[in-house]
Structures are given as C-alpha cells and as structure tokens.
Amino acid sequence: MSSVTTSSLQHVRQGNAGPVLLFVHGFPLSHQQWTAQISEFAKTHQVIAPDLRGLGTSPLRPGQTKLTMEDHADELATLLDSLQIREPVIYAGLSMGGYIAWQMIHKYPERLRALILCNTRVVADTPEQAEARFQLAEKTLQLRSPQAILDVMLPKLLPPKVNPAIVDAVKQMAHQATPEGLAANLHALATRPNVTSMLPNIQIPSLVISSEFDTISPPSEMGQWAAMMPKARFISLPGIGHITSMEAPELFNQVVRENAPW
Ligand code: MLT
C-alpha cells in the first residue's frame, strides 16, 4: 500500500489494473474505514481511497473553516485530475461519502461509470438536526477534541454488541482529524441539500447497500429512494449497523462482487 502526498487530498492508491474504484468514507472517519475493501478490490481494480478534506490526514486548506458537500466533490475531481485519471470511475461512498456522491452526479456525471451507495440518505437535515450539528461543531472547537462527537455519534454509528476493536478504530480515526476539520465537516453535513428530485434521472448503474440495524439511514428509507433510481439494485444486509464496510467486511465485499453494477 502506498500513501501519497499531493497538493490535493491525502490518499491510498493500490492495484494497477482494471477499472478505477474510488472509496469515499463517512464522518468522522478516514480512508481506513475501507481497509478490508482496499486489499480485496486492489486484486482486480485500481483502488483509490482518499481522506476527505478536514478528516483523517487531509488538513483543511489555509483559512478554511466551513465545507459543503459540493466542496468535497470538487476536491475529489481535483484528486482524480492530479492522478491523471480521465476514465469514468466506480464511486463507492458510505454515508457522508454518499452525500458527496449526489454532488458528483450533479457536477461531474461524465466522471462516473457506476455507483455503490452504502448506508446513506437523500434528504437534508431537519432544522433541529442541523442546529444540533452546529452546536456540536462549537463544542468540538471549545473542547479541542472529538469527544463530544463520539459521545453523540458512536451509539448511532455502531450497534451495542459490536467488536470493541471496531469501536477503537472509529475513535482513532476521529482523533486523527483536527477540531477545525471536524467542525468544517459538521457544517457540510448540516447544510447538505435534499436531492430526492435527482433520483429518477440518474442513469448510472448503481448498487445500493443498506443494513438492518442502521438507525442513521434505515433500510426502509433507503429502499424507498433506491426504487426511484432507474438503474439501482437494492440490498439490505441482516444483523449489521451503519458502517457495513467495517462491521461485516467479508459479507460486504462478497455482496459487491456478486452485484457489481459495472
Ligand atoms: C456518516 O456516517 O458519514 C454520518 O453519520 C452521516 C450523518 O451523520 O448524517
């Protein structure tokens, strides 16, 4: 595995043949969320897994205090440019990685060959949810720590009986980011748009993966919007919470291999 520093996002690149497969992580995580997928799919694909701006090891740009999902899509396009990747890519995004996918589809459709949309949503935050995120951002800046985010989010990200090593990995990823990076990303989450009206027009072959115990993006909600996408296949994994790629990596990989939308 090679970890590369460029003026654009920090990222891992592995595998040198086959289609490009871009793995985009959730909040408050990093590319390490995809560790089990990077090693598996590098056997058959050119895998790229960035740390999103302000998360993991990708620092905010100088003076940056707020981000949007569109900013993240622009950063991903810049990363692909810097790697001289001109061919359309398979885009796999989980949760916030999915929120960014909608902006990629909107702004850079020619760069997308297929989509794997995992544990994600199409609606915006309610005003109450957005306000709670802004307050969490304030608290994170005051405490200079991701602790307030972890207190609120860990019970939603992972089910109670999950392997403690996964809890530790999630904490470690959140602690890699700076308080400013976390706050800027909370702004992106709170201000993301409702994209429901886009769905019937998305002609990109898509695999939509949900899971039984996901309370952030429940399977009933995901099934409803997946049915509005003309070329989407919907699958719900039993007995798993929100971060499917980490909680059930082998099942996740098998489902992607067997239902590959490319
Ligand atoms: C994520 O996993 O990216 C976040 O939980 C998404 C969210 O809080 O809406």
Side-chain angles (χ1 to χ4, degrees), residues 4 6 8 11 13 48 78-86:
V4 184
T6 66
S8 58
H11 61 279
R13 191 174 189 181
I48 299 168
T78 303
L79 174 65
L80 294 176
D81 284 344
S82 75
L83 298 173
Q84 307 206 338
I85 292 170
R86 306 270 173 245

Side-chain angles (χ1 to χ4, degrees), residues 11 13 37 60 116 212 251 255:
H11 61 279
R13 191 174 189 181
Q37 286 70 42
L60 290 175
I116 305 170
E212 185 181 8
L251 177 61
V255 163

Side-chain angles (χ1 to χ4, degrees), residues 88-186:
V89 306
I90 303 158
Y91 181 111
L94 187 140
S95 200
M96 188 167 86
Y99 304 159
I100 299 164
W102 308 124
Q103 300 307 312
M104 289 293 289
I105 296 164
H106 177 63
K107 222 169 160 178
Y108 304 104
E110 73 288 351
R111 302 202 83 138
L112 302 170
R113 156 186 178 145
L115 302 167
I116 305 170
L117 300 166
C118 318
N119 305 88
T120 194
R121 310 188 76 195
V122 295
V123 291
D125 273 3
T126 62
E128 295 74 27
Q129 286 170 330
E131 182 52 33
R133 303 233 208 228
F134 291 132
Q135 286 180 12
L136 206 47
E138 279 305 309
K139 210 164 168 186
T140 302
L141 291 171
Q142 278 163 16
L143 295 176
R144 314 271 337 130
S145 149
Q147 197 51 51
I149 293 172
L150 289 170
D151 289 347
V152 171
M153 292 196 68
L154 266 180
K156 297 184 200 168
L157 293 173
L158 298 169
K161 288 193 180 146
V162 75
N163 178 346
I166 299 179
V167 182
D168 288 346
V170 167
K171 288 182 182 168
Q172 184 263 329
M173 286 185 252
H175 277 275
Q176 263 191 323
T178 60
E180 287 77 10
L182 293 164
N185 276 282
L186 282 164

